[in-house]
Amino acid sequence: MSPEQVVRPYGTWPSPISTTGVARSRLRLAFPTVLGEETWWSEDRPTEGGRTTIVHRDARGTCRELLPAPWNARTRVHEYGGRSYAVVPGEGVVFAEFSDQRLHLLLPGAEPRPITPAPAQEAALRYADPLVRDGQVWCVRERHREDGRISRSIVSVPLDGEGEPREWVTGSDFYACPALSPDGGHLAYICWDHPRMPWNGTELRVTRLADGVSSTVLGGAGEAVLSPRWLDNRHLCLISDRSGWWNLYRTDAGGTFLQALCPREEEFAGPLWHLGDSPYELLRDGRIALLHGRGDLRLGVLDPRSGVLTDLDLPYDGWQPSLSSDGDTLIGIGYGPAVPRTVVRVNTTTGQAEEVRRDLDGLPEAAYLPVPRSVEIEGRSGRRVHAFVYPPSNPGVRGDGAPPYVVFVHGGPTSHSVSALDLEKAFFTSRGIGVLDVNYGGSTGYGRAYRDLLRGRWGVVDVEDTTDAARWLAAEGLADPRRIAIRGGSAGGWTVMAACCASETFAGGVSYYGVSALAPLRATTHDFESRYVEWLVGPEDPVLYGSREPLGRVAGVTRPMLLLQGLSDPVVPPEQSQAFADALAERGVPCTYLTFEGEAHGFRRAETRSAALATELAFYQQLFRS
């Protein structure tokens, strides 16, 4: 310890990282596109109510926002959305506008104009993952009918707005990844049906556009296929987890052969939560730029002829699964523990990289940023639990004895945490509160067997792993066992509540828009996840559900809780948090329930994020007071 450091109680250290600074940070850069010297990407603006805009950088390096307020380029397909725009080469962009969900065309010097018809019911026709070819926009369309039924299809929309969209394939519950063959004669895509989720099992299909004849190339209930790309008019690349890992393959349109291009016990893709992700790109010289790894994904270039995969020597520990290439230049979003998420252009011949845009304009002094340590913890059943340890870090202050910690639980639950710079974590660690970010059994990033650990065991495996991780912190002397809290959002909020029901390991819990009851969730949540509970827990059974859900086990909670909820949440409706808060109040358990008007699933507004974070810190300071 530096002799200049003063001793102060944990949780009260002075820090330059404010709630406002955290709330206004993270532009949420996404879906970069590159064509020659020009670059596009979308970014969320927390200071503008979470509005999503599109930014263009021209050949001279000048950046310009294409969509001023109140335009909002955000799609509601699957409610989680995804890629909402596509570039019209040499002309402009086409995008889905959040307010009406119609596709709009933006040309230079003009106002955006709709190119899809207005539905009879507001926002009843939604579009995502657009692709522009030969005057048509190909995309996934989601139709909401007045009787509540929802259907999806792949359609083409005339770019000039003249004529009705044409439906090419329909009949499956879900569609993703539309890809046209170079000659425009065939359409490849991914589809799946309830009750599967896209990481359980999908099919790769090809439709001949001349007569509409479709065939299944590969996939099924036990194989999750992703991201088809045409190599030529007859052959495709794709991602499949048939080996137990999402690896890259080559096949033909008839599915007569399948060749693994780089077989490894690593992931070459992530879960399909958002439409439009692209974990690999084909280069003009026949090589393939791709992401691979466990947990964090590295960027490399594969020579499919030799099978040699060469990682690019770049200062980023991981990359978001959203690459774009024009055949020569590659663009993606890289990050590191001390490097914010950054739009990066890469010359695929020289390996030289250029930073285009960071999602944080300024960073605090490096000494205030925690350095994560990747660990594997042995749980009670012998499972290896993956996690990142973020110890308290402040150049001017130190504590006395073992510090308090907060165990972070990611959502999904089929998702995973990465080692990216996160000012929210630094907000706590710079004040003397450590963070343990757990990728419990069921998380993606570590192969199919690991993510399948949660099948039928939600509320068991996730709870055991996060609890065991907290006990490991104490056993290693890293944390004060009396001052370990747990926090999470959505499915992570479920784990928070369930863990507080099942154990007194945690001094308290913080749930952001968490799930407390299963049957109401099945009845009220959005269509994309409406059957997910069957895979996570099982068919509806009052006894089974009551034994697993937090609301049915609330009698086990003895420690204080903080619940935060958006009142416009279509994924986990506010009744979920309200019911748990009411049950705690009836039992006399301290509980603060804070709601936010106009917020949906995942807080987007800077003022909401700031208020939530301030309340959370105050909760921990009270909880950890010696």
Side-chain angles (χ1 to χ4, degrees):
M1 293 291 180
S2 169
E4 290 79 20
Q5 287 183 313
V6 298
V7 177
R8 293 192 61 167
Y10 290 113
T12 67
W13 298 357
S15 169
I17 305 172
S18 65
T19 58
T20 302
V22 175
R24 296 170 67 90
S25 68
R26 285 300 314 277
L27 293 172
R28 296 186 185 179
L29 307 174
F31 304 113
T33 303
V34 61
L35 284 175
E37 297 299 318
E38 296 183 273
T39 307
W40 297 257
W41 64 90
S42 66
E43 60 183 48
D44 291 358
R45 301 279 180 83
T47 57
E48 299 179 29
R51 183 180 73 89
T52 301
T53 188
I54 302 169
V55 180
H56 172 234
R57 194 184 83 152
D58 63 23
R60 297 184 300 275
T62 302
C63 291
R64 184 172 67 92
E65 178 184 358
L66 297 182
L67 292 177
W71 293 103
N72 190 353
R74 182 176 159 208
T75 174
R76 287 185 59 189
V77 173
H78 296 179
E79 295 299 347
Y80 292 120
R83 177 179 283 275
S84 63
Y85 82 97
V87 173
V88 183
E91 296 187 50
V93 296
V94 62
F95 68 95
E97 159 59 28
F98 182 71
S99 61
D100 60 13
Q101 288 298 293
R102 298 168 72 185
L103 287 180
H104 288 67
L105 176 65
L106 173 63
L107 299 177
E111 282 289 302
R113 63 179 179 85
I115 60 171
T116 54
Q121 184 181 355
E122 184 179 1
L125 293 175
R126 306 173 183 183
Y127 305 86
D129 201 4
L131 164 71
V132 176
R133 280 277 298 273
D134 302 326
Q136 300 285 321
V137 184
W138 297 75
C139 56
V140 175
R141 184 178 68 181
E142 182 177 271
R143 181 189 294 272
H144 292 247
R145 292 178 167 83
E146 292 185 4
D147 61 6
R149 290 183 300 144
I150 299 172
S151 62
R152 297 171 186 88
S153 57
I154 296 179
V155 300
S156 62
V157 177
L159 192 57
D160 59 11
E162 299 294 330
E164 292 289 321
R166 179 173 179 179
E167 191 171 78
W168 292 94
V169 292
T170 190
S172 292
D173 291 329
F174 300 96
Y175 291 93
C177 311
L180 277 173
S181 61
D183 63 5
H186 291 80
L187 175 70
Y189 51 93
I190 301 299
C191 59
W192 68 98
D193 293 308
H194 284 307
R196 285 180 274 155
M197 299 298 287
W199 43 86
N200 302 144
T202 63
E203 295 179 5
L204 167 60
R205 289 184 185 169
V206 170
T207 294
R208 190 168 57 219
L209 299 182
D211 56 13
V213 173
S214 301
S215 60
T216 298
V217 180
L218 75 160
E223 180 181 6
V225 185
L226 303 170
S227 302
R229 297 283 186 278
W230 290 94
L231 289 163
D232 53 40
N233 290 322
R234 295 179 53 216
H235 301 93
L236 302 106
C237 274
L238 60 113
I239 302 283
S240 169
D241 69 350
R242 59 171 44 209
S243 70
W245 299 85
W246 269 315
N247 276 194
L248 185 65
Y249 293 84
R250 176 177 176 266
T251 188
D252 66 342
T256 60
F257 77 92
L258 188 66
Q259 176 190 5
L261 296 180
C262 188
R264 294 188 177 197
E265 291 190 348
E266 293 183 343
E267 300 283 53
F268 286 60
L272 190 64
W273 279 106
H274 301 99
L275 295 176
D277 281 343
S278 178
Y280 71 95
E281 284 291 317
L282 307 177
L283 304 179
R284 202 179 310 279
D285 60 8
R287 296 180 301 159
I288 303 172
L290 51 77
L291 302 177
H292 69 105
R294 297 190 183 194
D296 292 313
L297 299 180
R298 303 183 301 279
L299 176 60
V301 176
L302 171 69
D303 182 344
R305 292 162 294 223
S306 65
V308 174
L309 174 59
T310 305
D311 286 341
L312 299 182
D313 185 17
L314 298 172
Y316 310 101
D317 289 48
W319 295 76
Q320 292 182 192
S322 188
L323 302 176
S324 171
S325 176
D326 62 1
D328 300 308
T329 302
L330 181 72
I331 195 164
I333 299 175
Y335 62 79
V339 180
R341 289 174 172 84
T342 304
V343 177
V344 184
R345 285 174 59 102
V346 181
N347 184 312
T348 58
T349 301
T350 66
Q352 294 294 312
E354 175 192 9
E355 291 195 351
V356 175
R357 174 70 152 156
R358 287 188 165 194
D359 76 348
L360 296 174
D361 290 330
L363 292 177
E365 182 184 335
Y368 288 100
L369 300 176
V371 179
R373 177 166 61 98
S374 178
V375 297
E376 288 189 21
I377 300 161
E378 185 170 344
R380 70 190 72 179
S381 65
R383 284 193 303 273
R384 306 297 293 179
V385 182
H386 302 275
F388 293 103
V389 180
Y390 295 82
S393 178
N394 188 306
V397 191
R398 62 184 174 89
D400 186 16
Y405 261 76
V406 177
V407 176
F408 277 42
V409 188
H410 66 69
T414 310
S415 183
H416 72 277
S417 298
V418 296
S419 65
L421 171 65
D422 184 351
L423 280 191
E424 191 170 68
K425 293 187 178 74
F427 174 84
F428 293 116
T429 58
S430 63
R431 286 170 167 76
I433 300 173
V435 169
L436 181 69
D437 204 356
V438 180
N439 280 317
Y440 50 82
S443 302
T444 47
Y446 305 97
R448 176 146 192 157
Y450 194 74
R451 73 176 185 266
D452 278 354
L453 288 172
L454 213 55
R455 183 171 190 172
R457 302 280 287 169
W458 193 35
V460 178
V461 169
D462 52 323
V463 170
E464 289 180 357
D465 286 359
T466 50
T467 304
D468 289 348
R471 291 171 178 169
W472 173 87
L473 278 173
E476 291 290 311
L478 299 175
D480 181 343
R482 300 166 303 162
R483 294 189 291 175
I484 300 176
I486 183 172
R487 65 101 79 169
S490 189
W494 153 283
T495 303
V496 166
M497 290 185 276
C500 290
C501 291
S503 168
E504 294 190 348
T505 298
F506 299 104
V510 177
S511 168
Y512 282 78
Y513 33 86
V515 176
S516 69
L518 294 173
L521 179 71
R522 289 190 61 190
T524 59
T525 194
H526 60 144
D527 184 57
F528 178 64
E529 292 183 274
S530 62
R531 304 283 296 277
Y532 195 13
V533 169
E534 295 178 29
W535 188 88
L536 289 167
V537 180
E540 186 164 351
D541 179 317
V543 175
L544 173 63
Y545 282 15
S547 69
R548 200 71 67 79
E549 64 190 15
L551 193 59
R553 305 162 62 197
V554 69
V557 181
T558 61
R559 306 297 173 85
M561 299 203 69
L562 169 63
L563 310 180
L564 304 107
Q565 178 71 47
L567 293 179
S568 299
D569 192 338
V571 179
V572 180
E575 290 79 11
Q576 292 276 334
S577 291
Q578 182 70 64
F580 200 72
D582 291 345
L584 292 176
E586 289 177 7
R587 300 190 59 259
V589 177
C591 175
T592 299
Y593 179 41
L594 189 61
T595 62
F596 299 93
E597 290 280 354
E599 287 286 5
H601 200 66
F603 299 157
R604 302 177 66 88
R605 299 171 180 170
E607 58 269 28
T608 301
R609 296 170 63 190
S610 180
L613 196 58
T615 304
E616 188 177 356
L617 175 62
F619 177 80
Y620 295 142
Q621 289 173 331
Q622 179 68 30
L623 204 63
F624 298 150
R625 186 170 295 165
S626 300

